[in-house]
Amino acid sequence: MEVNKFDLSRVIPAEIKREIRQQCGFGCVICGLGIIQYEHVDPEFKDAKKHDPANMTLLCPQCHSKVTTKMWSKSRVKLAMRMPKCLQQGYSNEFFDFPERNPSLIFGGVKLSNCKIPIQVANYPLFQLKKPEYLGQPFLLSGLFTDSNGEVSLEIKDNEWKANSSLWDVEVKGPCITIRERHRKIHLVLTITEQCDILVSRLDMVFAGFYFEANGDYLKVTFPDGGSSELSGCVADNCNVGISF
């Protein structure tokens, strides 16, 4: 485990990381991209005695590299910290990539493959997939997730995802996005698998009066009239609409 001259570990406690994410709007303070690294600004890590959120920030790998190589100064970072890009625009963002085939959507116990509209709710296409217009272009996914109050948390348009900066916490680790509504209240866990499918392993969502809960191997849907349906081991393949509620 790497430590500096003050015996401070490189490992940043989870609660400190969350505080930094919250103050930065969950993305790079300079450009707003959601794939981030944690940066000690002043003092630098080698001179830091503690992990102090007030002196730390989020940078995407590209912006971080420009600072590390001295192409950009720490003054630029400090200026961005005063008004992070994500808080200005209201979201952090990045892109999914589905280069070779139409991705499947897996919601708990439901797998939706080769469906133009995987899920439709109250005649609204909650998710849509488009084939590439030209050879070499990716398949395009659009859709949205709302939290347990019906507020949009994660919006996807032609593979670009945007996470609302007013959320309590958004954490991106590699191919996994985790959104929490509050402490110990997970709203969404979305992972891009090695096969480039979209796996939603956790979901707590209200949309158009419908309540969706995914956990493990099932998807439970509660209807506006109070009735419910639990789906497990279901597959929809090569349909125009995979599931309609």
Side-chain angles (χ1 to χ4, degrees):
M1 181 183 300
E2 183 182 352
V3 297
N4 68 7
K5 62 186 178 183
F6 295 108
D7 206 32
L8 180 68
S9 169
R10 277 279 186 189
V11 178
I12 305 170
E15 62 273 15
I16 298 297
K17 284 186 173 182
R18 182 170 60 244
E19 187 174 345
I20 298 168
R21 292 195 297 270
Q22 290 169 339
Q23 69 188 20
C24 296
F26 313 115
C28 175
V29 291
I30 295 176
C31 69
L33 291 183
I35 305 299
I36 52 85
Q37 297 169 343
Y38 298 85
E39 169 79 344
H40 285 79
V41 180
D42 188 12
E44 296 182 3
F45 172 73
K46 64 184 179 64
D47 298 317
K49 296 181 179 180
K50 63 178 181 177
H51 298 295
D52 183 1
N55 297 316
M56 298 175 68
T57 196
L58 300 181
L59 294 173
C60 74
Q62 185 178 55
C63 290
H64 197 178
S65 177
K66 290 177 180 179
V67 174
T68 301
T69 58
K70 310 298 183 182
M71 178 178 287
W72 285 354
S73 69
K74 284 293 183 79
S75 295
R76 181 184 179 93
V77 179
K78 292 177 182 178
L79 184 62
M81 289 170 66
R82 297 177 189 174
M83 184 53 71
K85 181 69 172 181
C86 297
L87 297 183
Q88 293 185 50
Q89 63 190 12
Y91 59 84
S92 59
N93 67 298
E94 251 296 354
F95 286 84
F96 294 128
D97 185 32
F98 308 109
E100 296 182 347
R101 65 178 182 85
N102 200 332
S104 296
L105 271 69
I106 306 167
F107 285 79
V110 178
K111 184 174 183 178
L112 308 155
S113 302
N114 303 304
C115 299
K116 183 178 180 181
I117 302 175
I119 299 181
Q120 179 173 278
V121 180
N123 294 319
Y124 178 84
L126 197 59
F127 296 94
Q128 292 180 291
L129 282 161
K130 294 188 294 186
K131 294 181 179 180
E133 292 186 11
Y134 303 101
L135 184 66
Q137 292 186 331
F139 288 82
L140 299 176
L141 169 69
S142 296
L144 61 84
F145 292 92
T146 57
D147 61 20
S148 61
N149 296 312
E151 300 293 329
V152 175
S153 57
L154 186 73
E155 183 177 12
I156 307 165
K157 185 173 183 180
D158 291 341
N159 290 349
E160 181 183 14
W161 60 261
K162 297 180 178 180
N164 195 322
S165 293
S166 66
L167 295 165
W168 189 75
D169 187 32
V170 179
E171 183 177 18
V172 181
K173 288 185 176 180
C176 181
I177 301 172
T178 300
I179 298 178
R180 299 176 180 87
E181 291 188 31
R182 58 181 183 273
H183 188 60
R184 298 186 183 278
K185 171 66 172 177
I186 293 178
H187 148 56
L188 173 68
V189 177
L190 183 154
T191 304
I192 305 300
T193 70
E194 291 184 3
Q195 294 74 34
C196 289
D197 291 328
I198 303 105
L199 170 63
V200 178
S201 55
R202 291 283 299 275
L203 181 64
D204 190 352
M205 165 174 165
V206 171
F207 182 82
F210 291 80
Y211 172 54
F212 297 87
E213 180 187 2
N215 196 339
D217 296 327
Y218 73 86
L219 172 66
K220 183 178 180 180
V221 183
T222 302
F223 305 103
D225 62 6
S228 64
S229 178
E230 187 170 311
L231 306 174
S232 181
C234 300
V235 175
D237 192 0
N238 201 28
C239 307
N240 185 50
V241 178
I243 298 179
S244 181
F245 298 103

